[in-house]
């Protein structure tokens, strides 16, 4: 019994040591941005892929028709819900991809402003911002997908 307890304790300690560690880099020679990191590495933990979120609420209704800021906020609320479902937060996000219909500098500024309300830590995820002609519905103006790496490790049981 003592051997089993010691083995379990050892495995638990090892899994904690191997827990998620990420490094956010802005290498010399690349522009530094307060809004994103140029390079993010992650090891350990669990990788979570979140499908592109749009400004649709739990009832399937489009929130903020014609209002880009309102849609961007709803997208981030949906991301927050998706992250919470796996025990993650915005601090665990390592990569974002945003798709913006008929992008311009004003919309980019709105995305950055809203995003800064959710990503409050010092480390920012790697990020790609794409202007697109349209999304799946004419009233949807923005879609954002995310990749997160949680600090949680999973111990397999047999």
């Amino acid at each position: 019994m003592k051997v089993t307890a010691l083995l379990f304790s050892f495995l638990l300690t090892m899994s904690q040591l191997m827990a998620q560690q990420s490094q956010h880099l802005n290498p010399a020679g690349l522009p530094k941005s307060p809004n994103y990191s140029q390079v993010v590495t992650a090891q350990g933990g669990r990788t979570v892929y979140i499908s592109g979120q749009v400004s649709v609420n739990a009832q399937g209704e489009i929130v903020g028709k014609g209002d880009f800021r309102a849609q961007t906020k709803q997208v981030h609320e949906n991301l927050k819900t998706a992250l919470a479902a796996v025990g993650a937060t915005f601090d665990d996000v390592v990569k974002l991809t945003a798709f913006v219909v008929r992008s311009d500098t004003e919309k980019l500024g709105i995305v950055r402003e809203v995003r800064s309300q959710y990503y409050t830590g010092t480390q920012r995820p790697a990020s790609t911002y794409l202007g697109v002609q349209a999304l799946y519905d004419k009233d949807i103006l923005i879609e954002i997908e995310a990749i997160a790496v949680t600090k949680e490790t999973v111990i397999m049981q047999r």
Side-chain angles (χ1 to χ4, degrees), residues 140-154:
I140 299 291
L141 304 175
I142 183 169
E143 181 171 346
I144 300 177
E145 63 183 23
I147 300 172
V149 178
T150 66
K151 294 168 183 63
E152 171 185 3
T153 57
V154 179

Side-chain angles (χ1 to χ4, degrees), residues 116-129:
S116 71
Q117 296 168 17
Y118 291 86
Y119 295 88
T120 57
T122 58
Q123 305 297 334
R124 300 290 191 239
S127 181
T128 301
Y129 179 96

Side-chain angles (χ1 to χ4, degrees), residues 80-100:
K80 182 178 174 181
T81 299
L83 288 164
V86 295
T89 69
F90 285 101
D91 289 339
D92 297 310
V93 175
V94 296
K95 175 70 169 90
L96 288 174
T97 304
F99 305 90
V100 177

Side-chain angles (χ1 to χ4, degrees), residues 26-30:
N26 288 297
L30 294 177

Side-chain angles (χ1 to χ4, degrees), residues 57-149:
N57 63 20
Q59 293 74 39
E61 305 160 332
I62 295 174
V63 174
K65 284 187 182 178
D67 184 340
F68 186 76
R69 184 181 306 279
Q71 287 199 16
T72 303
K73 183 160 179 57
Q74 181 64 43
V75 165
H76 282 84
E77 286 297 315
N78 290 352
L79 286 169
K80 182 178 174 181
T81 299
L83 288 164
V86 295
T89 69
F90 285 101
D91 289 339
D92 297 310
V93 175
V94 296
K95 175 70 169 90
L96 288 174
T97 304
F99 305 90
V100 177
V101 174
R102 294 179 298 283
S103 178
D104 57 28
T105 56
E106 180 183 0
K107 287 180 180 173
L108 176 59
I110 291 170
V111 170
R112 286 178 174 168
E113 176 190 323
V114 172
R115 184 169 65 183
S116 71
Q117 296 168 17
Y118 291 86
Y119 295 88
T120 57
T122 58
Q123 305 297 334
R124 300 290 191 239
S127 181
T128 301
Y129 179 96
L130 300 166
V132 297
Q133 184 175 352
L135 292 167
Y136 79 94
D137 183 291
K138 66 178 177 52
D139 291 321
I140 299 291
L141 304 175
I142 183 169
E143 181 171 346
I144 300 177
E145 63 183 23
I147 300 172
V149 178

